[in-house]
Amino acid sequence: MQEEDSKWISPTARRFHRQCHISRLPADVIHQSKRVLLDTLGCAIGGYESEAREALEAYVRECGHPAEATLFGSGLWTSSLNAAFVNGAMVRYLDYNDTAFILQGETYRTGYHPSEVIPMILALGERQHASGKDVIAAIVAGYDLSLTFLEAVTGPGMEKKGWNGDTRAAYIMPLLAGKLLGLSESQMENAVGICGSCHAVLGILDTPAEEYTMTKNIRFPTMAYGGIMAAMLAQKGFTGPTTIIEGHDGFAEAIMRGEYDLSRVVPAKGKFSIRETCIKSIIADFSSHGHLTATLTLARKHNIKPEDIAEIRITTSKRCAEHTGDPVKKYPTNKETADHSSYYLTAVAITDREIGPAQFVPEN
């Protein structure tokens, strides 16, 4: 295929092939990759006891699949697709996995969880008997692709258009899967076209105006599942639209309504966005960490009790106010909503002096 045949995927796939190698990674990037890998596994362990994991694993056991990869916790062998799906949901359950922020527009900051690429990389890496070096290289590439895909968004951002940023997974996970499967650049192009044209995440799964559900935990894992499938189909010669980003009714036009800068999608050489990720210290939406950390510190230092408090006023960012301060979040009835409710999180910070897994039991 000629380079001019594609405006986006071909350069991305080409750079992916040439630079996704651990010998080209600085020592601090490799070290940070190991840190986020361990943090991600810890988050998965924390999500193991959840009802969401139980339901998903019951589904996998009922279906029966080839033994290619391992489910975290139970050790159940299943397909790499199912392992990426269930393990990804476990990682996401606590909302404890690492976070990065990007600026959309001139003032609005929005967050995402780059470590959600890791469960698929581990599942498919296990299937392919990938080396640790290959896994680390894929993780670094996944972080870079996540950041640049979202940085190319212009205008008010995806959330304001009714879409969730995890839609990015439909475009980046086929590339990561393709790398681990040894796909050619042409096959990667088709894999992205297959997955991107059939998958997207509606904003209702992460909107301030609605209570959250368990489906919030499988936004990214569903795209990862589709990414593996698309890569495997492309490997067999199946085709997809190679202009999925910039083509007529493609991503840039249909979802972003033209507010997407194609020149910014290819990762910059040597940037390594994994350096910019933040590892959480409490279980809460990251935009609320500032005022919650302050509340925890004051409550512990001054032995503040609930009965001592007449009123609490929170000054925070626009993102936090919109994302965790909507009235629908005031009295959460499930874990998925509670960890995005500044009302609830502030209350338990004072009553319990902690914001960890124990604060999200149904009784609370």
Side-chain angles (χ1 to χ4, degrees):
M1 178 165 48
Q2 298 299 311
E3 183 174 347
E4 61 267 21
D5 288 344
S6 174
K7 299 177 183 177
W8 177 66
I9 300 300
S10 186
T12 304
R14 187 171 295 111
R15 180 169 291 179
F16 198 70
H17 270 292
R18 293 174 181 171
Q19 295 187 9
C20 187
H21 196 280
I22 197 167
S23 64
R24 298 186 177 93
L25 301 179
D28 70 301
V29 171
I30 296 173
H31 176 71
Q32 179 68 352
S33 302
K34 295 175 181 179
R35 290 185 72 232
V36 298
L37 175 57
L38 291 173
D39 181 68
T40 301
L41 292 174
C43 291
I45 293 169
Y48 179 75
E49 297 292 340
S50 67
E51 292 181 356
R53 192 277 309 170
E54 292 176 0
L56 293 172
E57 186 167 318
Y59 160 76
V60 169
R61 288 181 182 276
E62 192 174 282
C63 292
H65 290 277
E68 300 175 337
T70 313
L71 293 191
F72 298 151
S74 68
L76 176 69
W77 278 80
T78 184
S79 69
S80 55
L81 291 93
N82 283 337
F85 183 62
V86 179
N87 291 342
M90 273 191 274
V91 167
R92 192 71 181 86
Y93 174 74
L94 286 178
D95 206 289
Y96 211 3
N97 51 325
D98 68 350
T99 300
F101 272 89
I102 57 173
L103 187 66
Q104 291 186 337
E106 295 183 358
T107 59
Y108 193 75
R109 289 171 65 83
T110 186
Y112 68 103
H113 300 272
S115 58
E116 292 202 85
V117 304
I118 293 177
M120 189 218 75
I121 292 171
L122 294 180
L124 195 53
E126 188 173 7
R127 177 188 189 270
Q128 297 300 113
H129 305 288
S131 68
K133 291 182 178 181
D134 288 339
V135 167
I136 289 176
I139 290 172
V140 173
Y143 274 63
D144 286 341
L145 290 168
S146 284
L147 177 65
T148 54
F149 189 89
L150 292 174
E151 279 187 330
V153 173
T154 60
M158 293 185 70
E159 291 179 357
K160 301 300 183 181
K161 294 183 182 346
W163 299 98
N164 184 267
D166 281 352
T167 296
R168 73 187 185 280
Y171 300 87
I172 68 174
M173 298 311 278
L175 290 172
L176 297 176
K179 182 64 178 178
L180 291 167
L181 289 170
L183 267 59
S184 67
E185 292 173 9
S186 177
Q187 289 171 329
M188 283 191 184
E189 284 191 309
N190 282 287
V192 174
I194 295 165
C195 192
S197 59
C198 295
H199 294 85
V201 183
L202 288 174
I204 194 171
L205 292 181
D206 192 11
T207 178
E210 299 282 349
E211 187 173 61
Y212 292 163
T213 67
M214 289 183 186
T215 308
K216 167 178 172 283
N217 305 319
I218 61 169
R219 294 181 330 221
F220 199 100
T222 300
M223 305 294 101
Y225 186 107
I228 297 175
M229 180 185 293
M232 289 180 172
L233 287 172
Q235 194 174 40
K236 301 296 184 185
F238 204 84
T239 61
T242 58
T243 56
I244 183 64
I245 298 291
E246 75 283 3
H248 183 71
D249 284 342
F251 174 82
E253 180 181 318
I255 290 182
M256 295 311 304
R257 300 300 179 188
E259 293 184 320
Y260 199 71
D261 185 354
L262 295 169
S263 69
R264 300 185 63 183
V265 178
V266 179
K269 184 178 180 180
K271 185 174 182 178
F272 301 118
S273 61
I274 200 167
R275 289 168 167 161
E276 302 171 17
T277 192
C278 303
I279 294 177
K280 289 185 175 183
S281 58
I282 55 177
I283 297 178
D285 178 75
F286 196 71
S287 67
S288 64
H289 274 218
H291 71 77
L292 291 174
T293 301
T295 302
L296 285 167
T297 301
L298 291 169
R300 293 165 179 167
K301 181 177 179 180
H302 301 287
N303 194 29
I304 298 173
K305 298 180 176 61
E307 57 267 26
D308 300 329
I309 299 169
E311 183 182 59
I312 296 174
R313 295 184 181 182
I314 298 170
T315 301
T316 186
S317 67
K318 180 180 179 182
R319 161 77 181 186
C320 181
E322 289 183 357
H323 210 53
T324 70
D326 189 274
V328 77
K329 302 260 178 61
K330 195 165 188 178
Y331 300 105
T333 60
N334 59 35
K335 196 274 173 190
E336 286 80 12
T337 306
D339 61 34
H340 276 61
S341 168
S342 278
Y343 304 102
Y344 178 80
L345 293 165
T346 303
V348 296
I350 293 167
T351 59
D352 296 3
R353 313 290 173 85
E354 296 288 343
I355 305 178
Q359 277 61 59
F360 297 99
V361 294
E363 308 86 79
N364 282 11

